[in-house]
């Protein structure tokens, strides 16, 4: 949050920056995360903090028009992003590649679906087209 560049990022870029930065900062805590990763109790506080942070980013994205608010799916965005983070933690803990290249690739690949789902996508276009055609028939 302290970086000037971060303030200029889109919500999508902020979510990705969070993921990349988390794993850069987590290297010295790898043993702790290894011990905690399989214990829901140990991750509970982090999970709640993560979901709150992601919920604030989602709301910011909705206000900026970057995130599509979809009832009731939109209420699950923070939980969906936690699921992504949880999977990335487990990927990182298994990662034996140099400089955690496999984790970086996982962030790039696995984040696409939730981030694209949160934005305007082809389903919105189909919905708008059907809605338009139905109105035209009346």
């Amino acid at each position: 949050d302290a970086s000037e560049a971060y303030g200029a990022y889109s919500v999508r870029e902020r979510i990705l920056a969070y993921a990349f930065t988390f794993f850069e900062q987590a290297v010295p805590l790898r043993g702790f995360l290894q011990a905690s990763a399989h214990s829901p109790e140990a991750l509970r506080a982090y999970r709640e903090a993560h979901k709150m942070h992601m919920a604030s980013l989602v709301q910011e994205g909705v206000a900026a028009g970057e995130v599509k608010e979809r009832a009731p799916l939109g209420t699950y965005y923070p939980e969906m992003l936690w699921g992504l983070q949880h999977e990335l933690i487990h990927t990182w803990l298994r990662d034996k590649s140099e400089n955690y290249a496999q984790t970086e690739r996982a962030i790039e690949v696995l984040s696409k679906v939730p981030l694209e789902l949160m934005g305007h996508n082809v389903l919105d276009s189909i919905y708008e087209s059907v809605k338009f055609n139905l109105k035209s028939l009346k």
Side-chain angles (χ1 to χ4, degrees):
D1 288 345
S3 166
E4 260 185 56
Y6 182 83
Y9 287 175
S10 69
V11 168
R12 179 186 180 110
E13 292 168 327
R14 288 179 185 194
I15 292 169
L16 288 171
Y18 177 91
F20 284 109
T21 303
F22 175 86
F23 292 106
E24 287 172 11
Q25 300 297 312
V27 172
L29 303 171
R30 191 172 172 94
F32 171 75
L33 284 170
Q34 185 80 44
S36 303
H38 302 291
S39 169
E41 292 298 318
L43 291 178
R44 180 169 289 156
Y46 173 59
R47 177 182 182 210
E48 292 309 312
H50 182 273
K51 286 173 44 179
M52 286 177 51
H53 181 63
M54 291 300 131
S56 71
L57 286 175
V58 166
Q59 287 306 318
E60 188 177 321
V62 168
E66 296 176 47
V67 173
K68 184 91 169 154
E69 193 167 31
R70 294 181 179 88
L73 180 62
T75 60
Y76 295 104
Y77 290 162
E79 187 67 41
M80 181 174 58
L81 292 169
W82 166 250
L84 170 64
Q85 181 70 6
H86 192 255
E87 179 60 30
L88 291 172
I89 289 170
H90 287 283
T91 299
W92 179 71
L93 290 172
R94 292 186 308 267
D95 190 351
K96 305 288 187 228
S97 63
E98 187 175 333
N99 296 318
Y100 302 106
Q102 182 182 359
T103 299
E104 287 188 16
R105 182 70 179 131
I107 293 169
E108 294 168 3
V109 171
L110 297 177
S111 65
K112 283 184 181 180
V113 171
L115 293 176
E116 288 178 8
L117 181 63
M118 290 172 22
H120 187 80
N121 60 46
V122 71
L123 295 176
D124 297 310
S125 299
I126 292 169
Y127 173 76
E128 292 298 322
S129 295
V130 168
K131 192 167 111 179
F132 176 80
N133 285 331
L134 289 175
K135 285 183 180 179
S136 297
L137 293 174
K138 290 183 180 181

